[in-house]
Amino acid sequence: MTVESRRTAADRPPLRPPAGPDTRRTRLGLCSVTFRRLPAAEVARRAADAGLEVIEWGADVHAPAGEPGTIRAVREVSDRYGLACCSYGSYFRATPAELAAFPAVARAAVLLGAPRVRVWAGGTGSRSVLPDERHETVRCLREAARIAADHGLELAPEFHGGTLTDTVASTVRLLDEVGADNVRTYWQPPQDAPDEQALAGLVELGDRVTAVHAFSWWPGNNRLPLADRWDLWAAALGLLAGRGVEALLEFVPGDDPAVLAREAETLRNVVDCDPAGHE
């Protein structure tokens, strides 16, 4: 157990709620990894021009945890364009080898002003993982959650194949096993899942969902305009309305910055619509 994790709950700063006057509405934003090849200032400018209000800065290119100077510059860029950093998109996979580096990840999130760290639940899918590996992933996530709480942060694993959050059932089990109040989950439509199946999973996850990554893939990883799966997203964001989640655009068709404004407009229209119709 680290020195940081031994602090009592009374010593820890409170978890910070999302910024803004109404913390229960759905905020719209962008994952910076959508445009990895662009500098951070260009990503922020395009997000602001598209009318988005929050951003998830990725640790792989734009905001590496080991580069505090870069992170401060990214925070300044966010502030300049009026964007709140809703999450820090780390690639911490909750392995014993990575655990010692997690305090630096938490510090980076604080520098960015992010209330949440996005993590990965191991590197093996739930159907293939051995019991000992699953136990280690849970242990490391639990320890990371303690460190995150010491920094006033929430932790949320990506809902993704090849990890222990590759199915709804495994995600629920993992969250129960970790047993930390500051750990929830992301959600995105499982690849090739019909709308009804994807939505049933979202209902089962319920208020454990803290944010969604919004994109339209069908079939496989064929990237479509968000509007091509309007019914799915209208129903999904209708289910999440009033819960204070963020809907973050990711994987736009062709990784093309020119389509961001169109995709953002679709996302706004989806959030504003009656789930039963398109207006």
Side-chain angles (χ1 to χ4, degrees), residues 16-235:
R16 291 170 287 167
D22 181 0
T23 61
R24 304 311 300 166
R25 66 184 178 84
T26 302
R27 298 192 300 168
L28 308 184
L30 175 70
C31 297
S32 78
V33 296
T34 305
F35 302 123
R36 282 186 172 102
R37 70 180 186 273
L38 296 181
E42 180 71 5
V43 175
R45 182 187 69 79
R46 287 180 177 272
D49 287 350
L52 300 172
E53 59 183 314
V54 298
I55 191 162
E56 177 179 283
W57 287 110
D60 58 339
V61 173
H62 293 118
E67 299 180 16
T70 299
I71 291 170
R72 290 188 185 95
V74 169
R75 173 71 180 271
E76 290 172 3
V77 162
S78 299
D79 293 344
R80 184 191 317 156
Y81 287 101
L83 296 169
C85 181
C86 63
S87 54
Y88 182 41
S90 85
Y91 290 86
F92 173 75
R93 282 190 175 267
T95 65
E98 297 178 26
L99 192 55
F102 188 76
V105 173
R107 290 192 295 270
V110 171
L111 279 178
L112 283 170
R116 177 177 64 241
V117 180
R118 191 280 314 273
V119 298
W120 294 68
T124 306
S126 60
R127 294 179 179 85
S128 303
V129 70
L130 298 175
D132 286 350
E133 184 180 359
R134 185 176 185 109
H135 174 78
E136 283 297 289
T137 299
V138 170
R139 181 183 68 81
C140 291
L141 280 174
R142 189 179 294 133
E143 178 65 8
R146 292 191 186 104
I147 296 168
D150 283 341
H151 290 79
L153 300 167
E154 180 181 82
L155 209 64
E158 180 98 352
F159 186 66
H160 202 281
T163 73
L164 295 185
T165 50
D166 56 357
T167 68
V168 169
S170 184
T171 300
V172 170
R173 176 184 168 189
L174 180 73
L175 295 177
D176 287 344
E177 289 170 331
V178 173
D181 291 341
N182 65 324
V183 181
R184 293 195 288 165
T185 185
Y186 280 72
W187 181 84
Q188 62 193 37
Q191 189 168 318
D192 284 328
D195 290 6
E196 296 80 5
Q197 180 182 332
L199 293 168
L202 181 57
V203 169
E204 187 173 347
L205 289 171
D207 60 7
R208 287 175 146 174
V209 174
T210 186
V212 300
H213 285 163
F215 53 84
S216 289
W217 286 10
W218 195 273
N221 61 358
N222 182 39
R223 298 185 186 186
L224 305 175
L226 196 67
D228 283 15
R229 299 195 74 183
W230 176 284
D231 291 342
L232 169 67
W233 283 109

